[in-house]
Amino acid sequence: MEKITFYDTTMRDGEQTIGVNFSIEDKVQIAKALENYGISAIEAGFPAASDQDYEGVQQVSLAVKNASVVGLARMVRKDIDAVIKSTQSAQHPMIHIFIATSPIHREYKLHMTKKEIINKVIEEVTYTKQFMNEIVFSPEDATRTEYHFLAEIIQVAIDCGATMINLPDTVGYTTPEEYGEMFDYLKSHVKNFDQVRWSTHTHNDLGMATANALAGIAHGATEIQGTINGIGERAGNVDIIEAAAAIHVRKQKFDKQTMISLKQSKKISDMVSSKTNMPIADNKPVTGRNAFAHESGIHQDGYLKRPETYEILSPESVGATASLPLGKLSGSHAIMVKLSEMGYSISRDDMAYILPIFKKIAEKTNIVSDDEIKKMMQNFWSEKVVKNV
Ligand code: KIV
Ligand code: ZN
């Protein structure tokens, strides 16, 4: 099976999240965890942006052994030089160099013509190639760029030495079909498509970041750029954990596998959550508190008979645990299991008596706690003695 690799930008695009600011120590710790997690390339910052960013990239370059360490640069000489210098101790240094290509960015942001942008790419990628072997080129806002211009500028970047082409859906605008079509178009319009690697970079403004990244790999990309917990500008980036889990669960469909050590998912998610002060939503896929929790009676009964009835991914495989919280929708099967776990041995007749009492308690509270269950059982035993039920 073909291997899909992951490029993490938690410490660059992720750090563009409002209120997120990693210390250098945080960056080193996160980078080590990412490397253990099986990430192939770690974008550690934008070295020209601040001294702290520069030092962060430098320290990560010293700490990481196997993964590539990447710094971001605009097509600006001082940005490029800052990446070259800050990554020089890395075992595998890499630069991510970008310029916007869509009409709206050309006209209103860059005030540059297509020709001027192409000339900039020729100048700066050629300059960079003298110092860096591994060059990722991104045409920013690729998904709102005219296909023919996209193909032209990518061709130029490859001819000047880019080794990986990344296609950013900068504003989370595309759909899976369109994103796949864009890769197909480039496959047939870029001469040396197979001589470079292709990656996806999808934002989540319309909730399609994971679907779009998966469409990209189904149409020729072999690497996914994303972040842990999906942090990033505005609605964030694709969550690497979700994308890796999807490829794992649907490996037959994608006919691809990853090098991600999925078992560490929960741990790395918690680490980034605590360093960013961003709690994980309860219903977040894979890492949310409810991702492996079953409350309704029908689901609990199925789960207890065979977990796969309601779980497509085992919680253990991502370092999480399943739970069967008891609420008003829970049924006798899960309640009996819980009572037996708490040391109560009750018959089916007892259960028939207990169930309506349990439901009355559950209607008043959300999830029935162990203390409430203990109280309920004390009342039940005393009533049983008095009434001989
Ligand atoms: O989303 C984006 O376009 C980016 C670029 C810097 C590649 O993050
Ligand atoms: Zn981005």
Side-chain angles (χ1 to χ4, degrees):
M1 267 187 202
E2 186 186 12
K3 286 240 158 56
I4 297 300
T5 52
F6 282 88
Y7 174 119
D8 179 275
T9 180
T10 303
M11 296 185 281
R12 197 280 299 170
D13 222 337
E15 204 180 28
Q16 292 175 215
T17 309
I18 315 291
V20 171
N21 180 4
F22 295 116
S23 68
I24 291 164
E25 296 72 39
D26 284 344
K27 284 202 171 183
V28 169
Q29 272 180 37
I30 294 172
K32 287 183 177 160
L34 289 169
E35 194 172 29
N36 281 334
Y37 191 45
I39 297 293
S40 300
I42 300 171
E43 191 167 88
F46 183 7
S50 75
D51 290 347
Q52 197 195 23
D53 257 55
Y54 184 94
E55 204 186 327
V57 175
Q58 224 174 19
Q59 293 304 321
V60 169
S61 297
L62 288 166
V64 163
K65 295 288 163 270
N66 301 311
S68 300
V69 178
V70 196
L72 182 74
R74 292 167 297 176
M75 292 275 168
V76 171
R77 206 49 70 90
K78 79 168 174 51
D79 286 20
I80 297 168
D81 288 341
V83 174
I84 296 168
K85 287 206 200 100
S86 58
T87 57
Q88 71 194 1
S89 317
Q91 303 286 330
H92 308 283
M94 196 184 244
I95 185 168
H96 180 184
I97 183 167
F98 74 100
I99 191 161
T101 51
S102 64
I104 189 163
H105 280 241
R106 292 195 310 257
E107 188 176 342
Y108 295 102
K109 188 179 87 174
L110 297 179
H111 306 292
M112 284 170 85
T113 62
K114 289 181 186 169
K115 188 83 204 110
E116 286 168 333
I117 294 176
I118 290 201
N119 285 341
K120 196 93 204 127
V121 171
I122 296 174
E123 259 169 50
E124 301 309 328
V125 177
T126 307
Y127 169 78
T128 308
K129 195 66 183 178
Q130 303 172 81
F131 310 100
M132 305 283 288
N133 258 333
E134 294 294 328
I135 301 179
V136 183
F137 168 69
S138 283
E140 188 191 6
D141 206 15
T143 52
R144 293 193 299 169
T145 301
E146 308 90 328
Y147 276 6
H148 57 92
F149 181 51
L150 200 55
E152 187 184 352
I153 199 152
I154 287 171
Q155 188 70 68
V156 165
I158 296 173
D159 293 345
C160 295
T163 48
M164 176 175 275
I165 304 299
N166 177 53
L167 297 180
D169 181 29
T170 304
V171 287
Y173 175 76
T174 200
T175 67
E177 291 77 12
E178 275 175 6
Y179 201 50
E181 263 169 38
M182 189 168 79
F183 275 93
D184 290 344
Y185 177 88
L186 294 171
K187 229 180 271 172
S188 55
H189 288 79
V190 172
K191 268 196 314 283
N192 7 32
F193 189 95
D194 290 331
Q195 281 165 29
V196 293
R197 293 185 299 140
W198 294 77
S199 65
T200 66
H201 183 109
T202 53
H203 279 269
N204 207 27
D205 299 67
L206 297 176
M208 291 190 279
T210 306
N212 288 336
L214 297 174
I217 65 156
H219 289 262
T222 56
E223 182 154 292
I224 292 177
Q225 289 196 0
T227 61
I228 299 298
N229 298 338
I231 64 169
E233 283 274 356
R234 307 179 310 279
N237 292 56
V238 62
D239 181 358
I240 287 179
I241 297 172
E242 282 178 25
I247 296 169
H248 170 72
V249 171
R250 302 304 308 274
K251 55 174 128 0
Q252 306 307 335
K253 176 175 169 43
F254 289 112
D255 195 25
K256 301 189 194 311
Q257 58 187 359
T258 77
M259 276 138 37
I260 293 295
S261 163
L262 270 186
K263 245 189 175 340
Q264 296 176 42
S265 299
K266 182 77 183 122
K267 197 164 117 209
I268 199 162
S269 164
D270 287 345
M271 178 187 203
V272 170
S273 165
S274 102
K275 290 195 184 297
T276 52
N277 276 323
M278 291 176 75
I280 306 292
D282 285 353
N283 64 342
K284 180 138 178 69
V286 187
T287 50
R289 198 167 64 144
N290 296 351
F292 301 99
H294 311 278
E295 192 202 319
S296 87
I298 298 167
H299 286 221
Q300 290 177 332
D301 181 52
Y303 170 84
L304 287 165
K305 287 172 176 154
R306 190 166 173 106
E308 290 83 354
T309 51
Y310 288 101
E311 278 180 355
I312 54 170
L313 175 69
S314 80
E316 299 75 37
S317 69
V318 293
T321 40
S323 66
L324 296 178
L326 297 179
K328 70 170 183 189
L329 301 177
S330 300
S332 48
H333 193 165
I335 299 169
M336 277 184 88
V337 168
K338 176 72 182 176
L339 290 175
S340 127
E341 276 170 12
M342 289 176 73
Y344 299 105
S345 147
I346 56 159
S347 66
R348 289 215 157 266
D349 287 347
D350 287 343
M351 191 60 219
Y353 187 82
I354 289 169
L355 189 61
I357 302 172
F358 173 87
K359 296 262 176 182
K360 281 267 164 292
I361 300 169
E363 275 167 8
K364 291 204 198 91
T365 121
N366 262 338
I367 296 301
V368 181
S369 67
D370 286 12
D371 281 349
E372 283 166 317
I373 292 176
K374 272 187 211 149
K375 219 185 289 159
M376 174 185 83
M377 290 310 288
Q378 270 157 14
N379 291 341
F380 168 70
W381 294 130
S382 37
E383 281 200 26
K384 192 169 157 111
V385 172
V386 175
K387 294 190 188 160
N388 199 18
V389 289

